[in-house]
Amino acid sequence: MPNLVMEYSDPVAERVNIRDLLEDLHQALLESGLFEPESVKSRSYPCHNWFVGEDGDRKTFIHLNLSLLSGRTPEKKRELSRSLLSVLESHASTINSLTVDIRDMDVDSFLKVSF
């Protein structure tokens, strides 16, 4: 049940094919073997207003938030993080900042309904 959310500063879309990047990130999650394929969800959102350091909005960024149910080892999460960062680097080497954050969700309080 991973949820990948990619946030990026507006100018990124002028230099990076966002759809292709998101598709490759999604594929990396599928190929990890850690998840049921039908449970993998990926989406992206542009940030229209942002500030990074003293340069403010002149710096570009892509940040990935990956939320997944708890229970995977730190090694598996680190491997997954490296895999996602590798995809980012292959698509977005001209972007100032590329980051990946993997967070565990509490399996006891997560609820889901599928139709």
Side-chain angles (χ1 to χ4, degrees):
M1 188 266 88
N3 274 290
L4 176 73
V5 178
M6 178 174 67
E7 299 173 319
Y8 58 93
S9 54
D10 273 337
V12 169
E14 298 167 8
R15 296 189 263 174
V16 174
N17 183 318
I18 298 298
R19 180 164 177 77
D20 285 354
L21 170 55
L22 186 62
E23 185 174 359
D24 286 354
L25 291 165
H26 187 82
Q27 191 62 36
L29 292 175
L30 293 172
E31 291 173 359
S32 73
L34 296 174
F35 314 108
E36 293 296 323
E38 60 277 355
S39 71
V40 178
K41 299 171 200 71
S42 302
R43 56 196 175 276
S44 65
Y45 300 105
C47 293
H48 305 299
N49 301 291
W50 71 95
F51 296 95
V52 177
E54 292 179 350
D55 288 335
D57 64 358
R58 290 183 287 175
K59 296 273 188 175
T60 53
F61 72 88
I62 300 174
H63 177 72
L64 301 182
N65 284 304
L66 179 63
S67 300
L68 40 97
L69 292 176
S70 58
R72 287 162 187 91
T73 66
E75 293 80 16
K76 288 290 182 190
K77 290 187 282 189
R78 192 170 21 261
E79 184 178 309
L80 188 56
S81 183
R82 287 182 181 132
S83 172
L84 294 172
L85 187 59
S86 177
V87 172
L88 279 176
E89 289 175 316
S90 72
H91 280 267
S93 61
T94 63
I95 304 308
N96 298 107
S97 177
L98 305 173
T99 54
V100 177
D101 183 18
I102 296 180
R103 301 281 173 126
D104 285 336
M105 297 176 2
D106 183 0
V107 71
D108 293 327
S109 62
F110 176 76
L111 300 175
K112 178 180 178 178
V113 175
S114 296
F115 299 98

